[in-house]
């Protein structure tokens, strides 16, 4: 006979000890006392022996009176259902409440909303400063890991039908595989569209819905999913406006200076970032077209949220490729990041992973990155400096006055000296100066960002081998994951470096 539903719900919600259970039990009694004006509910206690009997899974009696009222409010089931055999249960179900609690506590920018009975619900994702947030459908699935894959456990007919219904719509959704091992939950994520393309679910096809173990939900995969879904959904929401207003970029490119207001067009945060970034990239390319001296670049990104566009915006990757014309066997461009320690300390770990990935992408393309920790340089312009000739200013990250971007060009000697002094100070105080090769600099950077190098490179290798598209795939034509996949493999090859 199956254990009682009550005993399974205790395991689900991690209320399996008398000491832990009594806290919400007493609190629920007090709330009910206020709602019903029944003061006795506020003083109901629970003995350890009674709890042990209820939680055994083999007691099929019925609590009475105030105890029954409290239990029914806590678990949203009548007591005759709570203390009856759980229907169609041979093994404990996916711990819905525990999954939601784990995700919410580990990543404060995430919230899984799984209604009672589950397993489908909503994944709410929020931005921090530059992204608007979004949401996706989610379906929890019990899985077991076998080597490099995790496979769904056998589903009864109703659960299989629910899964098929979840995968059918064209909306964005995620399968979250849940494996409970030694009391801990391991979560694995696969985008529903990827699973739908792999196979049409049927009674004998759950194996086709396997999830690569490389898609383990941790700070690497969560950071990618967090940034890409917000950028993608924002750009899709703005698709028509961005297409119809592209002429704005060419119009302002003809002006020597520009700083248009964000109110010029009605865009999401992602759309505003895309337009500002696209203009600045074209502005710099235009101004450097005749440059014969190798320029130096200063970038204003200080967080993973700000740096994520380097990983996903197609035009930014094209822009970096265009600048490789300055590279030779004896020269390379330099790009400076100002990353003050206080900003790093305020960043979540997954954001620091995104920041390192963006810098690794540049190092992979032959760009020498410097990191200056001095906070007084945090507001230096985004600028391309052609020493002794010209400074091309292009701000879109934290552009002043709420502008989409602030751009211009100057040859004034005072301005050139100011920018040159900042670059010289960055060279003298470079956090990454202890190494002359990309692998060494990235290892130093991981330490500065408080990221475990061996964990990071190992995870990048496994994720890069499978590719990001199965985890989360962009739908906007303005985004790509190709460069990210190549960067993951690049970092993965450094895992054995010592």
């Amino acid at each position: 006979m199956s254990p009682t539903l009550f005993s399974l719900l205790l395991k689900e919600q991690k209320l399996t000890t008398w000491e832990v259970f009594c806290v919400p039990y007493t609190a629920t009694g007090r709330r009910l006392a206020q709602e019903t004006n029944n003061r006795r509910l506020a003083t109901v206690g629970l003995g350890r022996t009674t709890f042990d009997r209820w939680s055994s899974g083999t007691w099929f009696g019925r609590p009475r009176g105030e105890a029954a009222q409290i239990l029914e409010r806590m678990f949203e089931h009548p007591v005759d259902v709570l203390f009856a055999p759980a229907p169609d249960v041979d093994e404990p179900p996916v711990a819905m409440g525990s999954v939601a609690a784990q995700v919410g506590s580990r990543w404060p920018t995430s919230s899984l909303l799984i209604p009672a009975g589950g397993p489908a619900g909503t994944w709410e994702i929020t931005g921090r400063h530059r992204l608007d947030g979004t949401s996706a459908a989610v379906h929890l699935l019990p899985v077991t890991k076998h080597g490099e894959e995790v496979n769904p456990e056998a589903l009864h007919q109703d659960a299989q039908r629910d899964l098929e219904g979840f995968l059918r719509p064209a909306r964005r959704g995620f399968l979250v595989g849940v494996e409970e091992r030694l009391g801990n939950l391991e979560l694995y994520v696969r985008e529903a569209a990827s699973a739908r393309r792999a196979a049409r679910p049927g009674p004998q096809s759950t194996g086709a819905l396997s999830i690569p173990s490389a898609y383990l939900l941790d700070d690497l995969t969560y950071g990618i999913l967090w940034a890409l879904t917000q950028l993608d959904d924002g750009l899709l929401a703005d698709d028509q406006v961005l297409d119809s207003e592209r002429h704005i970029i060419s119009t302002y490119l003809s002006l020597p200076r520009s700083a248009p207001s964000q109110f010029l067009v009605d865009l999401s945060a992602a759309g505003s970032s895309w337009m500002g970034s696209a203009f600045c990239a074209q502005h710099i390319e235009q101004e450097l077209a005749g440059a014969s001296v190798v320029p130096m670049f200063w970038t204003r990104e200080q967080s993973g949220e700000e740096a994520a566009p380097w990983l996903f915006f197609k035009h930014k990757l094209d822009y970096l490729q265009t600048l490789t014309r300055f590279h030779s066997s004896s020269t390379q461009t330099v790009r400076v990041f100002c990353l003050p320690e206080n900003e790093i300390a305020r960043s979540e770990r997954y954001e620091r992973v995104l920041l390192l990935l963006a810098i690794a992408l540049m190092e992979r393309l032959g760009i020498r990155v410097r990191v200056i920790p001095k906070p007084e340089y945090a507001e230096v312009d985004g600028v391309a400096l052609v020493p002794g000739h010209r400074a091309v200013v292009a701000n879109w990250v934290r552009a002043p006055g709420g502008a989409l971007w602030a751009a211009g060009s100057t040859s004034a000697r005072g301005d050139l000296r100011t920018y040159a002094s900042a670059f010289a100070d960055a060279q003298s105080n470079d956090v990454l100066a202890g190494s002359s090769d990309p692998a060494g600099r990235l290892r130093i950077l991981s330490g500065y960002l408080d990221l475990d190098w061996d964990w990071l490179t190992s995870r990048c290798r496994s994720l890069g081998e499978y590719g990001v598209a199965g985890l989360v795939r962009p739908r906007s034509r303005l985004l790509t994951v190709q460069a990210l996949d190549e960067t993951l493999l690049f970092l993965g090859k450094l895992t054995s470096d010592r």
Side-chain angles (χ1 to χ4, degrees):
M1 182 180 292
S2 298
T4 61
L5 177 61
F6 178 78
S7 68
L8 297 182
L9 292 174
L10 290 180
K11 294 178 181 177
E12 226 180 76
Q13 300 181 27
K14 296 189 180 302
L15 300 173
T16 54
T17 65
W18 175 73
E19 294 85 355
V20 172
F21 179 85
C22 283
V23 174
Y25 182 84
T26 302
T28 302
R30 290 171 179 166
R31 285 198 301 272
L32 276 173
Q34 293 178 346
E35 295 172 9
T36 63
N37 291 322
N38 181 355
R39 295 181 180 179
R40 292 176 59 185
L41 286 165
T43 60
V44 172
L46 178 64
R48 184 188 296 269
T49 302
T50 301
F51 174 78
D52 290 343
R53 184 170 64 251
W54 287 357
S55 62
S56 66
T58 58
W59 186 74
F60 301 101
R62 298 291 183 271
R64 304 295 180 187
E66 285 79 17
Q69 293 181 57
I70 294 172
L71 292 174
E72 289 178 348
R73 171 60 67 86
M74 284 182 68
F75 297 101
E76 298 182 347
H77 289 287
V79 289
D80 59 344
V81 173
L82 286 172
F83 292 93
D88 300 321
V89 174
D90 296 315
E91 298 292 336
V94 174
M96 309 296 180
S98 299
V99 173
Q102 179 166 306
V103 170
S105 63
R106 183 165 179 181
W107 298 290
T109 50
S110 258
S111 179
L112 285 184
L113 307 177
I114 309 294
T122 304
W123 194 342
E124 297 284 349
I125 298 172
T126 59
R128 295 185 68 237
H129 305 296
R130 295 197 59 85
L131 295 172
D132 291 327
T134 189
S135 63
V138 66
H139 191 291
L140 305 186
L141 193 65
V143 297
T144 303
K145 183 178 178 182
H146 299 285
E148 295 185 357
E149 292 187 342
V150 293
N151 297 312
E153 296 178 3
L155 301 175
H156 60 72
Q157 188 174 5
D158 289 344
Q160 181 67 39
R161 191 181 301 113
D162 289 344
L163 178 58
E164 292 178 12
F166 173 80
L167 292 176
R168 190 175 300 117
R171 67 190 173 189
R172 187 188 296 283
F174 294 98
L175 288 177
V176 176
V178 183
E179 181 183 40
E180 187 168 4
R181 180 178 295 182
L182 300 176
N184 295 319
L185 296 179
E186 296 284 5
L187 308 181
Y188 302 86
V189 178
R190 183 178 185 181
E191 193 169 49
S194 170
R196 186 169 61 245
R197 287 190 297 270
R200 184 178 297 278
Q204 306 300 323
S205 65
T206 56
L209 296 177
S210 63
I211 304 174
S213 60
Y215 293 168
L216 173 72
L217 187 61
D218 60 6
D219 286 310
L220 173 63
T221 49
Y222 177 74
I224 293 170
L225 183 152
W226 174 80
L228 182 52
T229 54
Q230 292 185 85
L231 291 172
D232 195 35
D233 289 355
L235 291 178
L236 285 174
D238 292 339
D239 186 69
Q240 189 171 21
V241 177
L242 288 172
D243 186 59
S244 63
E245 301 293 345
R246 278 177 178 262
H247 67 277
I248 292 175
I249 292 178
S250 56
T251 298
Y252 279 95
L253 282 172
S254 63
L255 302 178
R257 294 181 181 275
S258 60
S261 169
Q262 288 192 11
F263 296 110
L264 180 66
V265 284
D266 183 17
L267 294 171
S268 68
S272 296
S273 293
W274 185 90
M275 181 167 280
S277 172
F279 175 86
C280 288
Q282 293 183 44
H283 170 65
I284 291 173
E285 289 179 32
Q286 176 178 282
E287 294 296 315
L288 294 183
S292 57
V293 178
V294 178
M296 299 182 291
F297 299 85
W298 193 289
T299 187
R300 288 166 62 86
E301 289 87 347
Q302 294 185 332
S303 68
E305 191 175 31
E306 293 178 344
W310 286 110
L311 298 169
F312 303 116
F313 284 1
K314 283 184 178 179
H315 69 259
K316 293 190 79 68
L317 302 167
D318 294 339
Y319 160 73
L320 289 178
Q321 290 286 357
T322 298
L323 296 176
T324 58
R325 71 184 180 87
F326 292 107
H327 298 179
S328 69
S329 58
S330 59
T331 62
Q332 63 180 158
T333 56
V334 169
R335 186 171 290 272
V336 175
F337 285 75
C338 176
L339 304 178
E341 291 182 4
N342 62 328
E343 290 294 330
I344 299 301
R346 283 198 291 263
S347 293
E348 298 286 345
R349 189 166 180 253
Y350 64 88
E351 272 208 274
R352 286 178 268 130
V353 170
L354 287 172
L355 190 56
L356 188 142
L357 288 174
I359 292 174
L361 181 150
M362 296 175 186
E363 287 280 358
R364 181 179 65 81
L365 294 175
I367 299 168
R368 169 63 161 92
V369 175
R370 301 190 195 281
V371 170
I372 185 170
K374 293 185 174 182
E376 57 264 36
Y377 287 100
E379 296 304 320
V380 169
D381 290 320
V383 65
L385 177 66
V386 182
H389 295 275
R390 178 184 298 180
V392 182
V393 177
N395 294 323
W396 68 272
V397 176
R398 304 189 308 279
L404 278 170
W405 65 76
S409 182
T410 179
S411 298
R413 291 184 179 180
D415 292 336
L416 296 183
R417 281 196 299 270
T418 298
Y419 289 124
S421 175
F423 279 102
D425 210 3
Q427 182 173 357
S428 300
N429 295 276
D430 182 12
V431 171
L432 313 182
S435 179
S436 60
D437 64 273
R441 287 192 291 272
L442 292 171
R443 181 188 284 272
I444 295 171
L445 178 63
S446 71
Y448 183 68
L449 298 177
D450 194 24
L451 298 173
D452 182 271
W453 175 252
D454 291 333
W455 166 80
L456 179 67
T457 52
S458 176
R459 286 290 290 124
C460 286
R461 180 177 61 186
S462 59
L463 183 57
E465 288 173 351
Y466 278 92
V468 169
L471 172 74
V472 54
R473 184 178 186 176
R475 296 176 293 170
S476 169
R477 55 200 163 85
L478 304 175
L479 301 176
T480 180
V481 294
Q482 180 180 348
L484 175 57
D485 283 340
E486 293 170 355
T487 301
L488 291 169
L489 291 172
F490 169 73
L491 278 167
K493 291 177 181 178
L494 306 180
T495 188
S496 60
D497 288 356
R498 293 288 182 260

